[in-house]
Amino acid sequence: MAENPFFSPSTLPYKLPDFAEIREEHYLPAFERGMTDQLREVEAIAGDPGPATFANTVEALERSGQILKRTATVFMSIASSDATDGIREIETEILPKLTKHGDAIHLNRALYERIKQVATEDPEEAWLLEKYRVDFVRAGADLSEADQERLKELNEELTKVATTFSQNLLRASTGSALVVEDVKELDGLSESAIKAIEKDGTYVLPLLNFTNQPALAELTDRQTRRKLYELSVNRAPENFDLAVKLATLRAERAALLGYPTHAAYSVADQTAKTTDAVEEMLGKLVGPAVANARREAELLSEQAGFPIEAWDWSFYAEKVRKARYDFDGAELRPYFELDRVLRDGVFHAAGELYGITFADRDDLAGYHPDVRVFEVFNADGSQLGLFVFDPYARPTKRGGAWMNNLVDQSHLFGELPVVMNNLNVTKPAEGPTLLTFDEVNTAFHEFGHALHGLFSDVRFPRVSGTEVPRDFVEYPSQVNEMWATWPSVLANFARHHETGEPVPAELLEKMKAAEKFNQGFATVEYLAAALLDWAWHKLAPGETVEDAEAFEAAALERAGIAFDLVRTRYRTNYFAHIFSSGTGGYSAGYYSYIWSEVLDAESVEWFKENDGLKRGNGDHFRSALLSVGGSMDVMAAFRNFRGRDPRIEPLLERRGLLT
């Protein structure tokens, strides 16, 4: 495999992976060589006869495994964005091997002893050194030999089960799709939406990875809504048993590592620190959120003329929104054309705030024809990095939206960042791609993550960009959502795709007036998922679950969040955030979104108090917070930006929960 493109750094600008040259047959040989090379490098570090220093131990570890890192970075991106059958087969084979490889490094006693001997007075080095120490301890470096062997077994089993869970879910998005033969049953969907799902005389509506499918707000046929909803909540039933297995294995693993539960293990190195802190915050929100949702349900049933069911909620919420605020979200679609949203909205806001500019790089190819590449420049014209954009849903792409790095910024390697955003917008059969406002908001959100990666200005890749605690990582992306409705930004991108006319001012006013409507639903749906995650990961070691669905129902009832009309955003069987990664992911961490939103609401308040969209504000946010990545305590970075600790009141006000 002398021509394997992973064996040497990419020669493309910014070391963008050379997707035109990468083939499926390249991955396994590159993984094997990458793991072999890194283990050899690690043995050399561990066996160094000289005194342990930062340079010959921690920095040497940062430099190790470059072939493996290049290979894994590309492969994991493809496994999420374009997972063919071949990619899934490789994933099944390689993930357990990668888990073993990680254990071989973290459970290397000689290496761990050297790390403990390192001392440095440089603040950035000291911070990274402590991260390495914590990483090794949390990976089991202090355990006895027998316990380490059991930990290896648990890690391998967790990886295998989580991979199966994830692949089951990917298949279920199309395997459990709503199939309709009579187009009348799809009344309410736009003509372009119907064309996009037509296949050989039938209509196939695949499932997106959450409970309430977007089409539920538009389908007029109640039975069609019910079919779609029930397909959504009952997909991948085989995953219930896998979730039980994952939760019980994680509980055993946590006990082995010295924690009472996986939740306690998971939160210990986050900003929350303790399970009590998480439960206190979530507990403040449950009562007001449920009360708000029940009031909303009464309004919806009144509008419907009968007691609504869960599959009716989105449809009648739109009816009430239209009746109360004379606002129909569908009226906005013609004003939200994808390319214009991206260039005149997302990019424009970033330009105004940070002075950055963007240039199309049509000469650089992605892994799929839909992928686009942009070069990003600082205000002074210097290079900042590359932005890779993949907007469309496809059968080989997992649900949701996300950001990841293809190249991490670091001064150690002299590398600038290559960051990527994935959305899941339905690609029209023909004509322009028109977005819902939720999709617009998601584009701004994910670009907030991209900015966190692009603005990284750190020495070491281990703390680059979004390498921050999980309950902090959503914060900068949530802040960036505010610019989607900032008047000057909205006026710049919200123009009719045919006439170019700006969106009518009265329509925007109606949208703003309607913003807090349905917040009870949104908050309960989210909190139910966060509390369900928490329940699974507070299982005690040895505790058994006979019936996953019964456990789920009891957990929600016990938390005070059970409400038949508002199901959890993700049920256990399709909760990819917490069950698609064996030892990591968002397990016991789905609370992070609302934890981060406390910081977000505080920051939005600061921007508004300081005249909003202007360079001085952007420069302060960039220098105090975005640029430091995980190279310092992130809450100290927040205080450097905000000037004080966060308060919860701005969040409660935003979500209409103060009364």
Side-chain angles (χ1 to χ4, degrees):
M1 298 293 290
E3 300 303 315
N4 193 310
F6 292 115
F7 288 172
S8 57
S10 169
T11 58
L12 294 179
Y14 301 87
K15 297 184 181 176
L16 175 74
D18 194 348
F19 291 109
E21 296 299 320
I22 295 169
R23 303 286 181 268
E24 287 183 5
E25 60 265 26
H26 291 138
Y27 288 114
L28 285 175
F31 272 122
E32 295 295 345
R33 177 168 163 181
M35 289 186 285
T36 299
D37 284 1
Q38 187 172 32
L39 288 180
R40 186 165 51 244
E41 292 164 344
V42 165
E43 286 301 326
I45 296 167
D48 188 330
T53 65
F54 184 88
N56 69 19
T57 305
V58 177
E59 185 174 313
L61 284 171
E62 285 286 280
R63 293 183 183 277
S64 72
Q66 289 305 299
I67 290 177
L68 179 58
K69 182 174 183 180
R70 286 193 293 270
T71 309
T73 298
V74 173
F75 180 79
M76 297 309 176
S77 295
I78 298 299
S80 295
S81 303
D82 197 17
T84 62
D85 289 342
I87 291 293
R88 286 196 286 269
E89 288 173 12
I90 296 169
E91 185 179 41
T92 301
E93 179 176 349
I94 203 62
L95 290 186
K97 292 182 179 180
L98 289 174
T99 299
K100 284 183 178 180
H101 177 75
D103 285 342
I105 294 173
H106 287 112
L107 302 182
N108 184 316
R109 292 191 182 280
L111 178 63
Y112 180 47
E113 287 304 315
R114 283 189 70 82
I115 290 172
K116 289 194 292 184
Q117 293 166 20
V118 173
T120 178
E121 295 184 1
D122 178 272
E124 192 170 358
E125 291 181 354
W127 182 257
L128 181 64
L129 173 60
E130 181 59 22
K131 281 201 166 294
Y132 265 89
R133 285 176 176 154
V134 170
D135 286 348
F136 273 70
V137 171
R138 286 174 59 80
D142 279 334
L143 297 181
S144 69
E145 199 167 307
D147 284 346
Q148 285 187 352
E149 287 305 310
R150 177 56 185 153
L151 182 65
K152 291 176 186 177
E153 293 171 0
L154 287 169
N155 288 343
E156 186 175 359
E157 182 67 8
L158 281 164
T159 301
K160 288 178 179 177
V161 177
T163 302
T164 304
F165 184 101
S166 182
Q167 293 186 352
N168 287 347
L169 190 50
L170 182 61
R171 283 191 292 269
S173 67
T174 51
S176 298
L178 176 68
V179 181
V180 172
E181 294 185 358
D182 186 353
V183 72
K184 291 178 183 176
E185 294 179 32
L186 299 176
D187 181 58
L189 296 187
S190 68
E191 187 177 337
S192 62
I194 291 173
K195 279 184 180 178
I197 62 172
E198 185 176 6
K199 293 184 180 179
D200 302 324
T202 60
Y203 303 87
V204 181
L205 191 61
L207 299 178
L208 300 184
N209 197 35
F210 33 75
T211 296
N212 277 282
Q213 302 298 303
L216 291 170
E218 301 171 327
L219 292 164
T220 62
D221 187 304
R222 196 176 186 213
Q223 285 308 308
T224 304
R225 292 201 301 270
R226 179 173 184 168
K227 286 179 198 172
L228 178 60
Y229 184 86
E230 290 181 344
L231 285 168
S232 179
V233 298
N234 294 314
R235 77 186 92 164
E238 64 274 25
N239 276 355
F240 281 114
D241 289 342
L242 297 180
V244 172
K245 194 165 189 178
L246 285 164
T248 53
L249 288 172
R250 285 170 178 167
E252 181 185 349
R253 182 176 182 272
L256 200 61
L257 291 165
Y259 295 87
T261 64
H262 180 74
Y265 167 82
S266 181
V267 80
D269 68 339
Q270 303 298 300
T271 67
K273 302 297 183 191
T274 67
T275 56
D276 286 346
V278 174
E279 288 165 8
E280 180 184 0
M281 191 268 288
L282 294 177
K284 289 178 181 178
L285 301 173
V286 169
V290 172
N292 201 355
R294 291 189 182 280
R295 286 193 295 270
E296 291 170 358
E298 291 174 6
L299 283 173
L300 302 191
S301 292
E302 184 181 327
Q303 175 70 31
F306 55 82
I308 64 164
E309 299 286 354
W311 48 85
D312 298 316
W313 188 293
S314 296
F315 184 77
Y316 286 101
E318 288 304 310
K319 294 283 188 187
V320 170
R321 188 179 278 110
K322 189 169 178 59
R324 271 199 158 197
Y325 305 101
D326 193 23
F327 174 68
D328 181 355
E331 293 180 60
L332 286 172
R333 265 188 186 265
Y335 298 92
F336 296 153
E337 189 274 319
L338 174 63
D339 196 60
R340 186 147 206 161
V341 168
L342 181 67
R343 295 176 187 275
D344 297 343
V346 174
F347 290 173
H348 169 74
E352 292 293 299
L353 198 59
Y354 305 108
I356 59 177
T357 56
F358 302 81
D360 292 82
R361 289 299 303 262
D362 296 333
D363 58 315
L364 298 177
Y367 50 84
H368 188 279
D370 290 337
V371 174
R372 298 148 72 184
V373 181
F374 300 87
E375 189 169 11
V376 191
F377 300 92
N378 285 302
D380 62 3
S382 61
Q383 294 176 318
L384 181 58
L386 290 182
F387 173 62
V388 180
F389 186 55
D390 182 0
Y392 293 119
R394 63 182 71 95
T396 53
K397 192 179 197 179
R398 71 174 173 88
W402 64 95
M403 169 269 188
N404 58 281
N405 279 14
L406 293 171
V407 178
D408 292 325
Q409 177 276 328
S410 77
H411 298 306
L412 183 68
F413 291 107
E415 292 179 343
L416 293 173
V418 178
V419 305
M420 180 176 177
N421 276 176
N422 269 272
L423 308 181
N424 256 290
V425 176
T426 300
K427 188 174 184 178
E430 57 187 27
T433 302
L434 303 180
L435 307 182
T436 65
F437 180 71
D438 280 347
E439 289 168 335
V440 171
N441 202 57
T442 298
F444 276 85
H445 175 99
E446 295 305 328
F447 196 71
H449 285 305
L451 289 170
H452 203 177
L454 285 166
F455 287 151
S456 179
D457 187 14
V458 301
R459 184 173 162 194
F460 303 107
R462 170 65 179 81
V463 293
S464 179
T466 55
E467 288 292 329
V468 296
R470 187 181 50 235
D471 57 7
F472 190 87
V473 74
E474 297 297 333
Y475 154 53
S477 58
Q478 290 171 340
V479 170
N480 204 58
E481 293 176 23
M482 73 178 290
W483 310 117
T485 53
W486 196 258
S488 63
V489 177
L490 196 58
N492 202 57
F493 75 82
R495 292 181 172 272
H496 198 282
H497 70 98
E498 291 177 336
T499 67
E501 289 296 310
V503 61
E506 60 271 21
L507 186 56
L508 294 179
E509 289 304 315
K510 291 173 186 177
M511 182 183 78
K512 290 175 185 174
E515 271 183 348
K516 285 184 182 174
F517 173 71
N518 218 33
Q519 277 297 315
F521 172 91
T523 308
V524 167
E525 183 190 49
Y526 166 77
L527 287 174
L531 289 161
L532 177 60
D533 166 33
W534 206 244
W536 278 117
H537 293 112
K538 287 205 77 178
L539 286 178
E543 188 175 350
T544 59
V545 174
E546 299 297 332
D547 184 332
E549 293 191 77
F551 176 89
E552 176 180 284
L556 297 175
E557 191 70 42
R558 191 166 55 249
I561 200 74
F563 185 23
D564 288 344
L565 297 183
V566 185
R567 299 287 285 271
T568 172
R569 182 169 174 81
Y570 304 100
R571 290 194 70 204
T572 299
N573 45 319
Y574 49 95
F575 208 158
H577 282 75
I578 66 171
F579 289 129
S580 64
S581 176
T583 58
Y586 272 71
S587 59
Y590 195 65
Y591 78 88
S592 301
Y593 287 91
I594 206 146
W595 188 274
S596 293
E597 196 179 344
V598 173
L599 308 181
D600 157 37
E602 274 275 30
S603 301
V604 169
E605 186 178 79
W606 180 89
F607 273 104
K608 289 180 177 178
E609 288 171 353
N610 289 276
D611 301 324
L613 191 73
K614 66 178 187 180
R615 275 293 305 280
N617 292 341
D619 289 345
H620 177 50
F621 193 47
R622 176 177 178 173
S623 62
L625 198 141
L626 296 178
S627 67
V628 302
S631 66
M632 63 179 290
D633 178 73
V634 291
M635 290 308 295
F638 174 83
R639 287 188 288 273
N640 289 343
F641 164 67
R642 187 65 178 96
R644 57 171 169 76
D645 287 325
R647 300 172 301 125
I648 197 171
E649 286 75 16
L651 169 68
L652 297 177
E653 165 64 23
R654 170 189 289 185
R655 286 184 171 258
L657 301 179
L658 278 177
T659 57

